[in-house]
Amino acid sequence: PAGGGLERYTTAVASLLVADHGWRVVFVTSGARGSSVSVTMEEGFKVYRLPTQVTLSRTPLAISWPRMLRTISRDEQAVLINAHAPVPGIADAAAMTKGRLPFVLTYHAGPMHKGKAVVDRAIWLYEQTMMRYTARRSDAIICSSNFVRDVFARDFAGKTVVVPPGVDASAFRPGGPTRPGAVLFVARLDTGMEFKGLGTLLEAIRALVADGADVTLEVVGSGQLLPSYRTKAADLGLGPDRVRFSGHLTGRDLVDAYHRSSVAALPSGNDSFPLFLT
């Protein structure tokens, strides 16, 4: 229940299942390297973090996960499993160990190809084998957009449904003062999130400024790459009057950031329906 759009999406769904239907929701995700499972309470939810044994292309994995998931499912008396993809690992382990439980797979993105021959070959192999196995084991596949359905799930049309991410209309409503040329970017600034395209956006802002446009950029988000993006902005000649780094914002502060802007920009290379643009 922390992190980027997928994590917030999952937490929002879980909260509504509790509030509207009285369900009990337990999270299982990857954790730090080691041999033991970490169990915490976060935002009112029980969270199991499974130990990681290896990390491949920033993807945590462990051969012990299927066994651990089977134990957790039994101990928590699970009646349904909802796994989230495309990142390999937990969803595949859940598919292996679901038994007779209903298994719903939620798929959030398009192809994971990185433009690197060796990595893309490995991804293609995963998509053609393990990912297909996981999809076949599912009773239903929730696709976050028509794009996901048409690209990923075309071979599983009989059990796919498109459910785009929702918006809290009580909070995110049109209104507030906006200034022409005020651009907003919202994303985690962590390693592995470079595909969100903030570097490209900074270069675009510099080009617009050089062209005489009165444009500013507000960057909402935090992470280990924040210092490098600050440096890049400075190297491009974009001072605080042009690029504002606001850090991580939530609630009313995030809504106000939307209201301050006139353009939402996300030059992403691999998003299907990012919450920031929803």
Side-chain angles (χ1 to χ4, degrees):
L6 188 153
E7 292 86 353
R8 300 314 306 167
Y9 168 97
T10 308
T11 305
V13 170
S15 299
L16 291 171
L17 287 173
V18 172
D20 295 349
H21 302 285
W23 284 34
R24 183 172 61 89
V25 180
V26 173
F27 285 92
V28 181
T29 186
S30 59
R33 285 181 177 268
S35 59
S36 60
V37 178
S38 167
V39 184
T40 58
M41 292 297 297
E42 301 177 34
E43 299 190 27
F45 295 104
K46 192 174 186 178
V47 181
Y48 288 85
R49 298 189 183 275
L50 307 187
T52 296
Q53 291 176 331
V54 297
T55 301
L56 301 176
S57 187
R58 303 194 185 101
T59 301
L61 298 167
I63 60 174
S64 59
W65 286 355
R67 172 179 54 81
M68 291 178 173
L69 277 170
R70 187 180 293 110
T71 300
I72 292 170
S73 179
R74 182 197 65 220
D75 292 348
E76 294 292 343
Q77 300 180 329
V79 297
L80 181 144
I81 297 173
N82 178 203
H84 295 258
V87 178
I90 294 285
D92 304 314
M96 293 179 196
T97 60
K98 78 179 193 72
R100 296 183 179 180
L101 291 177
F103 178 61
V104 177
L105 179 67
T106 303
Y107 205 87
H108 293 266
M112 296 183 289
H113 301 158
K114 311 295 185 183
K116 300 178 181 179
V118 175
V119 175
D120 286 351
R121 181 65 181 175
I123 291 173
W124 177 86
L125 183 62
Y126 165 76
E127 291 176 339
Q128 297 301 312
T129 55
M130 199 67 231
M131 189 69 249
R132 285 182 176 273
Y133 166 84
T134 299
R136 284 196 299 269
R137 292 277 286 170
S138 67
D139 296 286
I141 301 174
I142 298 174
C143 301
S144 60
S145 69
N146 290 337
F147 169 75
V148 172
R149 178 197 61 198
D150 295 342
V151 173
F152 160 74
R154 56 179 176 266
D155 296 330
F156 309 98
K159 55 182 176 182
T160 60
V161 59
V162 176
V163 183
V167 175
D168 183 358
S170 65
F172 291 91
R173 292 181 293 178
T178 61
R179 188 180 68 77
V183 181
L184 177 66
F185 174 92
V186 179
R188 282 191 326 187
L189 305 181
D190 286 335
T191 301
M193 293 290 111
E194 296 98 326
F195 69 86
K196 296 289 184 179
L198 178 54
T200 300
L201 183 56
L202 289 170
E203 293 170 1
I205 295 295
R206 180 189 63 171
L208 288 169
V209 171
D211 236 10
D214 184 14
V215 61
T216 61
L217 171 64
E218 180 173 1
V219 177
V220 173
S222 60
Q224 63 262 45
L225 294 184
L226 176 57
S228 66
Y229 285 124
R230 289 184 184 274
T231 299
K232 183 178 180 68
D235 291 344
L236 292 172
L238 301 172
D241 59 324
R242 291 294 182 182
V243 179
R244 169 184 177 183
F245 291 91
S246 300
H248 178 67
L249 300 179
T250 60
R252 186 71 240 175
D253 292 334
L254 181 58
V255 173
D256 289 344
Y258 275 87
H259 286 170
R260 286 193 294 270
S261 65
S262 55
V263 176
L266 188 73
S268 171
N270 192 37
D271 271 310
S272 61
F273 208 134
L275 293 185
F276 164 47
L277 299 182
T278 303

